[in-house]
Amino acid sequence: MGMDRSVLRSIPLFAAMSDEQLDRMTAQANARRIPQGESVFEQGDPAKAFCLLLHGRLKVTQVTRDGQQIIVRVVHPGDLFGFTRALGRPDYPGTATAAVDSLVASWPTESWDGFVENNPQLAMSAIRTIGQRLDEAHTRIREMSTEEVERRVAHAVLRLVEQAGMRVETGMRVDFPISRRDIAEMTGTTLHTVSRILSAWETRGLVEGGRQKLVVCDTAGLIRLAENAE
């Protein structure tokens, strides 16, 4: 699928680029639809392209050496991902799977160096993205090392609402399908433990659950719990 420069122009990352710069980028871009549940790339695959999420949501998972699957991040519209060249590695460190039907633009990995040399904004965005991911990773490591499971789950749910929340009648709903298993994989705990915690929260009116659904009804209460203020 081809791309028009107006598609990139609507994304803050590319808004300040000239028409000529955008045309160079769209000329090499490949846009494709990724149905829900299908992967953009798999962990360990050779990194042949770097990508930009135009629409939808993606979950990036890693399988550890002992076989445990963890969700390392959620990709949101406008996010760059899979730019392994900037990390100095030849393969993808995780699997990117569509949480909902998604639209992804991709460019050949060998184009990365030229793009960042000619587009300082793109280079700065990549640096910011790497910095944000490191900060998120450090936060999660600290939470796993120092916090009890319920607080870790509370922080994970609050991050989801901050990044992908939409207002509904009963509160803030995560705007893509999210399961209890997903939350367990985000927080390094078991499905049983997450189910027990969320069931208790539902009884207290903090959240509403359901199949692949999560609504935070009492954000302030969940923040107090996450900060151990209760």
Side-chain angles (χ1 to χ4, degrees):
M1 187 190 306
M3 282 181 58
D4 183 85
R5 77 164 80 110
S6 63
V7 176
L8 293 183
R9 176 77 73 196
S10 65
I11 297 171
L13 168 63
F14 302 97
M17 288 187 182
S18 67
D19 288 347
E20 182 181 359
Q21 288 174 314
L22 290 174
D23 286 341
R24 280 200 298 267
M25 293 204 70
T26 55
Q28 297 186 55
N30 175 50
R32 60 188 175 119
R33 299 191 182 278
I34 311 295
Q36 181 180 7
E38 291 195 9
S39 62
V40 183
F41 49 72
E42 300 278 346
Q43 180 176 345
D45 283 352
K48 296 180 179 179
F50 64 94
C51 308
L52 171 74
L53 183 61
L54 299 173
H55 176 75
R57 304 278 178 187
L58 306 175
K59 291 182 286 191
V60 180
T61 58
Q62 287 183 348
V63 177
T64 64
R65 290 183 179 179
D66 61 2
Q68 181 183 4
Q69 179 170 289
I70 57 173
I71 294 177
V72 294
R73 67 177 293 224
V74 176
V75 181
H76 306 283
D79 284 355
L80 285 170
F81 64 103
F83 51 101
T84 59
R85 188 131 179 163
L87 303 175
R89 60 180 300 159
D91 61 340
Y92 295 116
T95 297
T97 304
V100 294
D101 292 346
S102 299
L103 181 62
V104 171
S106 62
W107 291 266
T109 292
E110 56 267 22
S111 302
W112 176 262
D113 292 346
F115 281 165
V116 295
E117 287 171 8
N118 295 318
N119 303 296
Q121 225 186 350
L122 183 61
M124 290 304 299
S125 176
I127 292 170
R128 282 194 298 270
T129 299
I130 293 170
Q132 288 168 357
R133 291 186 197 172
L134 282 173
D135 186 56
E136 289 173 5
H138 290 160
T139 297
R140 291 176 66 176
I141 290 169
R142 184 182 68 249
E143 289 172 0
M144 289 186 183
S145 301
T146 63
E147 294 182 357
E148 60 184 24
V149 175
E150 187 174 31
R151 289 183 64 198
R152 295 207 308 263
V153 174
H155 277 125
V157 170
L158 287 168
R159 278 194 290 269
L160 286 170
V161 167
E162 180 182 2
Q163 297 168 347
M166 60 181 290
R167 177 69 61 182
V168 295
E169 185 178 350
T170 54
M172 295 294 292
R173 177 173 179 169
V174 178
D175 74 353
F176 62 92
I178 186 81
S179 69
R180 293 182 173 190
R181 184 176 297 279
D182 289 335
I183 295 172
E185 291 178 358
M186 289 177 181
T187 55
T189 188
T190 66
L191 173 59
H192 172 76
T193 298
V194 169
S195 295
R196 177 177 52 78
I197 290 170
L198 291 183
S199 294
W201 289 357
E202 288 178 21
T203 301
R204 296 169 60 184
L206 293 172
V207 302
E208 281 182 3
R211 189 174 184 275
Q212 301 281 303
K213 168 189 164 185
L214 182 63
V215 179
V216 175
C217 307
D218 182 359
T219 303
L222 200 59
I223 290 172
R224 288 195 299 271
L225 194 155
E227 300 305 325
N228 202 25
E230 295 191 334

mmCIF file of all heavy atoms in Angstrom, residues 59 63 120 145 221:
data_model
loop_
_atom_site.group_PDB
_atom_site.id
_atom_site.type_symbol
_atom_site.label_atom_id
_atom_site.label_comp_id
_atom_site.label_asym_id
_atom_site.label_seq_id
_atom_site.Cartn_x
_atom_site.Cartn_y
_atom_site.Cartn_z
ATOM 1 N N LYS A 59 1.142 -4.903 20.944
ATOM 2 C CA LYS A 59 1.800 -5.363 22.169
ATOM 3 C C LYS A 59 3.134 -5.996 21.774
ATOM 4 O O LYS A 59 3.183 -6.834 20.876
ATOM 5 C CB LYS A 59 0.925 -6.387 22.897
ATOM 6 C CG LYS A 59 -0.345 -5.804 23.494
ATOM 7 C CD LYS A 59 -1.159 -6.823 24.255
ATOM 8 C CE LYS A 59 -1.872 -7.784 23.334
ATOM 9 N NZ LYS A 59 -2.873 -8.626 24.035
ATOM 10 N N VAL A 63 10.086 -13.504 25.066
ATOM 11 C CA VAL A 63 10.134 -14.786 25.761
ATOM 12 C C VAL A 63 11.512 -14.908 26.389
ATOM 13 O O VAL A 63 12.530 -14.803 25.705
ATOM 14 C CB VAL A 63 9.860 -15.964 24.805
ATOM 15 C CG1 VAL A 63 9.990 -17.285 25.553
ATOM 16 C CG2 VAL A 63 8.478 -15.841 24.187
ATOM 17 N N PRO A 120 17.043 15.745 11.300
ATOM 18 C CA PRO A 120 17.442 15.799 12.712
ATOM 19 C C PRO A 120 16.276 15.542 13.668
ATOM 20 O O PRO A 120 16.473 14.988 14.746
ATOM 21 C CB PRO A 120 17.989 17.227 12.867
ATOM 22 C CG PRO A 120 18.393 17.637 11.486
ATOM 23 C CD PRO A 120 17.444 16.952 10.564
ATOM 24 N N SER A 145 11.302 -4.968 42.067
ATOM 25 C CA SER A 145 12.288 -5.256 43.112
ATOM 26 C C SER A 145 11.833 -4.813 44.493
ATOM 27 O O SER A 145 12.259 -5.391 45.501
ATOM 28 C CB SER A 145 13.621 -4.559 42.784
ATOM 29 O OG SER A 145 14.121 -4.987 41.544
ATOM 30 N N GLY A 221 -8.635 6.610 43.778
ATOM 31 C CA GLY A 221 -8.470 5.504 44.709
ATOM 32 C C GLY A 221 -7.354 4.572 44.284
ATOM 33 O O GLY A 221 -6.583 4.075 45.119
#
